[in-house]
Amino acid sequence: MRDAPSIRGGLADDEVPLGAISGMWRSEDMELRSLSIERSVLEKVVREFGDIACVQFKDLNVTEEGGTAAHTRCFVQQVRSCEAIERTLRFFDEQMHHHEVDDTEAEHDPSLGIDEFKSAKDVTDLPNALETLRTKLLGDETNLRDQVDKLQRYQSELEIAKERQKAVEWAEMYCKDAAAPGRGPRHGGSLNAAENDFESVDVVTGAKDGTLGQLIGTINTEKMDTFYRLIYRVTKGHAVVHKEPLKGDAGEKDGVKTIFRILYSSFEMQSRILKLVISNGAMVHLGRPLHSATGATDSKAGDIQNLPGDDHAFRQLRENIENEVVDRSKMIQNTSLMVEEKLHAIARVHTARRHFILREKAMYHALNMMQIDKGTLFASAVAWIPTRHLGKVNRILQSYDLCRLDAEDIKATDAESPPTYFETNEFTGTFQGIVDAYGIPRYQECNPAIFAIVTFPWLFGIMYGDIGHGVIITISSAIMIYFQGALQKQKLNEIVDMIFGARWLLLLMGLMAVYMGLLYNDCFGMMLQYSESRFEFPDDWVNGIKYSDPTNPAMCFDGTNVPLVCGKCSMADLQNVDVMVQGVMVPRCTCPYAWNVTDSEFSCPNIPNDPENYLKPAKGPTPFGFDIAWHEADNKLTYYNSYKMKNAVIVGVLQMALGLFLSLANDIYFKDTRHIIFGFIPECMFLFCTFGYMCVMLILKWVTPWPNTSIAPNSLETMTNFFLSPGKYSLINETACNLPPTDPENDCSGYDYLYSGQTTVQTVLIIIAFSAVPLMLFPIPILKSREKKRLEKDALQMGTTAPVIDMQEVWIKQVIHTIEFILGCVSNTASYLRLWALSLAHAELSEVFWSFAIMKMLDGADGIGGGFIMWAGFGAWLSVTIGVLIVMEALSAFLHALRLHWVEFQTKFYAGDGRKFAPLDFAEIIAEAEGAR
């Protein structure tokens, strides 16, 4: 431990040193400081550190081999005392839970004379507070255990007495039935044919040849079958067993216990049966044991109550057992009152004691990390402290004499990076938890959580866009936020608690789902007319084609661009000029355009690219969202499918580009010029020249007015040719396309250019993209190889050891990174298509559920029966909406958004190999312990 001057003026509470970084963008600046604390105030200082929760102690008692030196830890006994007290408190917890006693916290604990352990300083002022508490709790535990054991014994005796009572009633009834003329046993089973002889015996007075032995008892029902078979084996079938489920107090058969009656004929058989009774956990309540030939009695049968021989004896036995039941019930009631009274007294201070022990145990664990040499007055500690909180720590040390905080930061080893610390609240903590679940951010690298606040709900909304479903999620989360104070005090199950913890995330997800639902114009599978449609549908338009215009060449077509008369139109066809096409009378083969006359036959010409003959928004695009005119359109699914798929690709490339620029921010911050030149730049070259160009092409295609979409460039085919056939483009030949269909030279394949010079631009872009690959692969390993040689040369001159750089590992990592990035650009872009797939599936499921559960029911809803049908249909729709669309679909969209952030976005810049700042924090320790109860 190096010496350093102490700070006695130091930093003020709110003073932040220059260069300190805080907030969510990067983790807090951390400093490794050495502390010297006087032993007399050691516990007080550490308790105050636990209250401010900004000091993470470093274990100074770890050996070089990674183990711990137990002899250097001075507070092991105190930790064991705390653990012993925790065991006692857990016993109190179990008993309070069993007796339904609330552990409400009192204002004062008169037994110790301190205010419910709330103030750490007050506790330390009490001499031997921990040992005093342990002694008192040990006495309370002993007293309570005695009472609990006594209560359990009384309850066991009461249960046995009630079983004996039922056994006596059953035996009396059995004996009366067997003794009645012409009647035998009502229940039971014979182990062999010898039962017939037993049934002819007077079961009360004895047998023909001698007295039969009898045992009446109870056994657990689940063991009865095994017990039955064992008796058969040990007696070789020479015994009779009668059985019946034992009835409960109300007369019903509870099925827990079964009452049995065994008849046997020899003393040896009796010994075997009694051994089976003991080994199977059965209990014999009544019986008539047999004696040996010498008159001896089996020791196991000595405590068995003899079976009464007449009604008076039965009545006397019943009265004795009833008195025993009443006595045991009163003893149980009195003992229960004593136990509950004791538990209520314990409960008044139980929470305070539990919190106190949690604080003490955490404090002693921290003290065990310090170096405390015998014979010295000071303890030495090393701790990570956020730079912005150095003033708080210094203020605490200044309040005690002879305590100091070193002024200079200790340089940490390369293997020990500073911990990562973000100050979060209940809102930002949810998003930070999503990031931390993937991996703790490396010290001061860009934190993805700050972007996840926006991008996570955004991606969820793209997949889940629906006004109605989004409103339900928004209202549900808003209710949890409004009543969060009351809900935090309740004990929630694991799933509900997890949902409650994500209430702010759910609120943003719901709002974004509503916003995207407004863009999609989708509400429970319906479209809303919140703006006037920009489309007009005149009577002479069918399927988007104007048939009434005499100059329209579509008069030769049926509305789907398929000729009514394929090939040639003969003169005879001109006689039949009226054809019904989807309810509209259309002239047939009377196009006014020039015909190719050959042998009095006319060939239909191709439709010219005349945009005036096709339906389009008469008033321009709708101001917001999708036009309601698409609701009943036959090509609605095709239109939505095209838009959502392209939108998903654009969103994905944008988020991946954001990840690349965040990697640039990390490189600039850590001054990694090498990675900027040979990492960031070639990665941007490849991504932007390939998939970035594809996004630009999609947007440019959207904003270009095409007179006929059949000649618009096919995006998929263009990108395929971009990689496989650079410089080539499937351009449409207008001259060949305008030739008659019968002409062998007719060819309408291909597309128009998206912009002038397209082939040249694409050729340049593909060259730039592939030239980025060697820039990513070779320069960095070559530069590290030169660096290795330089370090070895310098070490040789200085007589030191050069750091080890494994060039084989460097090359392998660089090759893997290059291949992963190149293939990742393709796979990650394709992975963002899940935005399209889930959005389309959600919209189609909503429409199907609405159509079949509501609209179909409306068609048959007539009269009283129709009302019931509507009620059933609405119930079915509500059930599937909540169960499938609200719960399952929302969970699916959440998981997909999580994957897109973890894999597609964060891998572009995020290392995630940091370690979380874990200060001594009493509040967090208590909260975790309370949450685990």
Side-chain angles (χ1 to χ4, degrees):
M1 189 72 64
R2 68 181 179 84
D3 295 331
S6 61
I7 299 178
R8 298 306 298 172
L11 299 169
D13 292 349
D14 301 326
E15 182 180 351
V16 180
L18 295 176
I21 297 178
S22 61
M24 292 288 291
W25 172 240
R26 297 191 187 275
S27 60
E28 297 278 354
D29 280 347
M30 305 295 296
E31 294 191 18
L32 188 63
R33 292 296 186 97
S34 175
L35 296 85
S36 181
I37 307 173
E38 187 181 2
R39 292 194 60 175
S40 61
V41 295
L42 186 60
E43 288 87 349
K44 292 184 179 181
V45 173
V46 175
R47 284 192 182 92
E48 292 198 43
F49 287 164
D51 289 331
I52 64 174
C54 62
V55 179
Q56 175 181 332
F57 290 98
K58 181 180 177 181
D59 196 348
L60 302 179
N61 297 313
V62 178
T63 61
E64 295 181 357
E65 293 78 14
T68 58
H71 65 279
T72 61
R73 302 190 186 277
C74 302
F75 298 93
V76 175
Q77 188 60 42
Q78 286 82 347
V79 172
R80 291 174 180 172
S81 298
C82 291
E83 292 174 348
I85 293 175
E86 283 183 326
R87 287 192 292 269
T88 301
L89 294 177
R90 281 196 297 270
F91 170 72
F92 292 159
D93 270 330
E94 294 171 359
Q95 295 303 317
M96 285 188 286
H97 177 73
H98 178 72
H99 293 274
E100 298 181 352
V101 176
D102 294 332
D103 54 343
T104 54
E105 188 174 351
E107 292 296 329
H108 185 68
D109 180 12
S111 61
L112 282 177
I114 56 176
D115 294 336
E116 65 173 2
F117 305 105
K118 285 184 177 179
S119 174
K121 292 183 178 180
D122 293 340
V123 176
T124 57
D125 292 338
L126 192 65
N128 301 320
L130 190 63
E131 197 60 34
T132 302
L133 178 61
R134 181 181 179 182
T135 302
K136 176 171 177 51
L137 289 179
L138 182 61
D140 291 342
E141 181 185 11
T142 303
N143 187 8
L144 183 60
R145 284 188 183 275
D146 291 341
Q147 297 294 333
V148 171
D149 292 342
K150 188 185 297 183
L151 178 62
Q152 292 175 349
R153 185 174 68 254
Y154 291 157
Q155 290 173 342
S156 177
E157 292 175 355
L158 177 62
E159 183 180 354
I160 294 173
K162 288 183 177 180
E163 290 182 9
R164 185 182 298 115
Q165 188 179 34
K166 291 183 175 62
V168 170
E169 294 174 357
W170 188 75
E172 184 179 9
M173 178 181 59
Y174 212 111
C175 293
K176 289 180 179 180
D177 288 346
R183 300 180 64 181
R186 302 175 306 152
H187 304 280
S190 173
L191 295 177
N192 63 3
E195 181 186 0
N196 297 328
D197 294 335
F198 287 167
E199 290 181 356
S200 64
V201 174
D202 184 353
V203 296
V204 178
T205 60
K208 298 174 183 177
D209 304 326
T211 303
L212 292 175
Q214 299 185 47
L215 295 176
I216 300 175
T218 55
I219 189 174
N220 289 336
T221 301
E222 60 184 12
K223 296 182 178 181
M224 185 62 212
D225 292 338
T226 304
F227 184 56
Y228 189 92
R229 289 192 295 269
L230 290 174
I231 291 177
Y232 177 83
R233 292 176 182 177
V234 300
T235 63
K236 299 181 180 179
H238 295 91
V240 177
V241 178
H242 301 141
K243 60 179 180 178
E244 181 179 341
L246 188 64
K247 296 182 179 180
D249 295 335
E252 71 280 1
K253 296 181 180 180
D254 54 19
V256 176
K257 291 289 184 74
T258 296
I259 190 169
F260 62 84
R261 178 173 180 260
I262 306 174
L263 301 176
Y264 52 91
S265 59
S266 69
F267 180 80
E268 292 76 10
M269 198 179 299
Q270 172 181 281
S271 299
R272 297 191 190 105
I273 293 173
L274 288 175
K275 290 179 180 178
L276 290 178
V277 168
I278 295 174
S279 62
N280 284 273
M283 181 170 291
V284 177
H285 301 291
L286 297 171
R288 180 175 293 157
L290 299 180
H291 300 279
S292 65
T294 60
T297 304
D298 194 329
S299 59
K300 301 182 181 62
D303 297 332
I304 298 177
Q305 175 72 45
N306 287 326
L307 186 67
D310 53 27
D311 292 342
H312 176 75
F314 270 111
R315 185 166 51 255
Q316 185 65 35
L317 181 58
R318 285 200 311 271
E319 290 177 358
N320 292 338
I321 296 175
E322 289 175 359
N323 292 333
E324 182 181 359
V325 169
V326 172
D327 291 341
R328 289 295 179 271
S329 298
K330 290 182 179 179
M331 295 172 69
I332 289 174
Q333 183 179 4
N334 294 334
T335 307
S336 297
L337 291 176
M338 295 176 62
V339 170
E340 291 180 3
E341 183 180 354
K342 183 66 177 176
L343 288 175
H344 280 292
I346 293 174
R348 286 195 294 269
V349 292
H350 182 69
T351 301
R353 288 172 173 174
R354 190 173 64 250
H355 292 177
F356 168 71
I357 291 303
L358 289 172
R359 292 165 60 98
E360 291 295 290
K361 184 179 178 182
M363 178 199 68
Y364 286 121
H365 274 304
L367 292 177
N368 279 332
M369 296 181 182
M370 301 181 184
Q371 283 186 348
I372 305 176
D373 297 330
K374 295 181 179 180
T376 61
L377 299 177
F378 294 91
S380 300
V382 175
W384 288 105
I385 306 172
T387 304
R388 65 164 55 237
H389 295 311
L390 284 174
K392 291 182 180 180
V393 175
N394 193 53
R395 178 178 57 82
I396 292 175
L397 294 175
Q398 287 180 1
S399 62
Y400 299 97
D401 294 333
L402 303 178
C403 296
R404 68 180 186 180
L405 173 70
D406 283 2
E408 296 182 3
D409 184 17
I410 301 175
K411 184 174 180 58
T413 61
D414 295 335
E416 183 186 19
S417 61
T420 301
Y421 173 55
F422 296 99
E423 287 193 1
T424 59
N425 51 37
E426 64 179 21
F427 176 76
T428 58
T430 303
F431 298 94
Q432 190 63 53
I434 291 175
V435 173
D436 291 349
Y438 177 81
I440 305 299
R442 181 180 291 178
Y443 178 63
Q444 289 194 345
E445 74 172 337
C446 293
N447 183 19
I450 192 172
F451 300 97
I453 295 175
V454 177
T455 58
F456 195 96
W458 179 42
L459 295 184
F460 176 86
I462 293 175
M463 292 181 281
Y464 197 76
D466 188 285
I467 301 173
H469 301 153
V471 167
I472 293 176
I473 294 178
T474 302
I475 293 176
S476 301
S477 57
I479 291 174
M480 288 190 289
I481 293 172
Y482 185 79
F483 294 103
Q484 63 180 0
L487 291 174
Q488 286 172 344
K489 297 178 182 178
Q490 297 182 6
K491 181 67 176 179
L492 305 175
N493 63 51
E494 185 176 358
I495 296 178
V496 176
D497 185 62
M498 184 166 49
I499 295 174
F500 174 72
R503 58 193 180 276
W504 288 102
L505 173 62
L506 290 174
L507 178 66
L508 295 185
M509 288 163 53
L511 292 175
M512 192 57 68
V514 172
Y515 172 72
M516 294 306 299
L518 291 172
L519 285 179
Y520 295 155
N521 198 353
D522 195 354
C523 180
F524 296 122
M526 301 178 293
M527 296 188 76
L528 304 179
Q529 190 171 359
Y530 44 76
S531 62
E532 183 183 1
S533 175
R534 288 334 194 231
F535 286 90
E536 294 181 356
F537 298 90
D539 295 336
D540 57 347
W541 286 77
V542 178
N543 275 2
I545 296 180
K546 188 176 182 180
Y547 285 97
S548 60
D549 188 352
T551 63
N552 190 350
M555 297 167 72
C556 290
F557 295 81
D558 66 354
T560 58
N561 296 343
V562 177
L564 291 175
V565 181
C566 299
K568 298 181 179 180
C569 303
S570 64
M571 292 295 294
D573 292 329
L574 296 178
Q575 305 301 322
N576 185 12
V577 295
D578 293 331
V579 178
M580 183 68 70
V581 179
Q582 298 190 11
V584 178
M585 296 300 297
V586 178
R588 188 178 189 183
C589 286
T590 57
C591 297
Y593 292 92
W595 298 89
N596 297 322
V597 181
T598 303
D599 298 331
S600 300
E601 291 184 349
F602 298 84
S603 59
C604 297
N606 295 322
I607 299 180
N609 297 329
D610 188 359
E612 297 299 327
N613 294 315
Y614 294 91
L615 182 64
K616 63 181 182 180
K619 301 178 182 178
T622 182
F624 184 81
F626 284 81
D627 198 299
I628 193 174
W630 290 102
H631 183 56
E632 297 294 338
D634 293 338
N635 60 339
K636 173 188 175 183
L637 183 60
T638 304
Y639 180 74
Y640 270 62
N641 183 63
S642 174
Y643 168 76
K644 291 184 177 181
M645 179 171 58
K646 296 171 183 176
N647 179 66
V649 172
I650 294 174
V651 168
V653 174
L654 286 176
Q655 191 172 32
M656 288 190 294
L658 174 62
L660 288 181
F661 281 101
L662 290 179
S663 71
L664 173 63
N666 283 333
D667 294 337
I668 294 175
Y669 180 80
F670 293 114
K671 298 179 175 61
D672 191 354
T673 308
R674 178 189 302 170
H675 189 270
I676 294 176
I677 299 174
F678 301 111
F680 169 75
I681 293 178
E683 288 173 358
C684 287
M685 289 168 56
F686 186 85
L687 179 64
F688 293 146
C689 291
T690 53
F691 297 100
Y693 169 71
M694 180 179 66
C695 295
V696 173
M697 186 177 64
L698 292 176
I699 297 174
L700 186 59
K701 183 180 175 181
W702 275 342
V703 300
T704 302
W706 299 96
N708 188 351
T709 56
S710 63
I711 66 172
N714 184 287
S715 303
L716 182 60
E717 185 174 340
T718 301
M719 288 304 299
T720 303
N721 293 333
F722 175 78
F723 287 102
L724 300 181
S725 303
K728 295 183 179 180
Y729 190 82
S730 181
L731 184 65
I732 187 172
N733 189 337
E734 296 184 2
T735 303
C737 186
N738 289 327
L739 293 175
T742 57
D743 195 321
E745 300 295 331
N746 178 274
D747 183 13
C748 290
S749 62
Y751 312 97
D752 200 357
Y753 278 123
L754 184 62
Y755 55 90
S756 60
Q758 185 173 355
T759 55
T760 304
V761 171
Q762 291 182 176
T763 303
V764 173
L765 290 178
I766 196 66
I767 293 174
I768 295 175
F770 281 103
S771 65
V773 177
L775 286 178
M776 281 188 283
L777 179 59
F778 297 109
I780 291 181
I782 293 174
L783 292 176
K784 286 192 175 181
S785 178
R786 293 180 178 178
E787 180 183 359
K788 178 183 179 181
K789 294 178 180 179
R790 179 180 57 81
L791 292 175
E792 291 176 348
K793 182 179 179 180
D794 294 344
L796 183 62
Q797 293 176 353
M798 299 178 63
T800 58
T801 303
V804 178
I805 300 178
D806 188 351
M807 291 307 303
Q808 184 178 3
E809 182 180 358
V810 171
W811 276 104
I812 291 175
K813 286 185 176 181
Q814 194 63 28
V815 170
I816 292 175
H817 171 73
T818 303
I819 297 175
E820 184 181 18
F821 181 83
I822 300 300
L823 297 181
C825 287
V826 180
S827 63
N828 293 348
T829 304
S831 181
Y832 276 96
L833 291 176
R834 70 186 68 235
L835 300 175
W836 152 60
L838 266 72
S839 176
L840 205 62
H842 185 83
E844 291 303 308
L845 281 175
S846 300
E847 186 174 354
V848 167
F849 291 156
W850 178 263
S851 300
F852 283 89
I854 301 296
M855 302 307 296
K856 291 289 185 183
M857 296 297 177
L858 284 175
D859 295 339
D862 295 327
I864 299 177
F868 176 77
I869 292 174
M870 277 302 303
W871 175 82
F874 178 77
W877 173 81
L878 185 62
S879 300
V880 297
T881 296
I882 295 177
V884 178
L885 298 177
I886 300 297
V887 178
M888 295 178 60
E889 280 283 311
L891 179 61
S892 175
F894 173 86
L895 294 176
H896 283 288
L898 193 65
R899 182 242 153 79
L900 290 176
H901 276 79
W902 282 356
V903 179
E904 277 70 32
F905 173 54
Q906 292 181 187
T907 53
K908 299 295 182 294
F909 69 97
Y910 185 60
D913 57 356
R915 58 192 185 98
K916 192 173 183 179
F917 179 58
L920 178 63
D921 187 353
F922 291 151
E924 183 178 358
I925 293 172
I926 292 173
E928 289 180 357
E930 292 296 326
R933 293 185 65 206

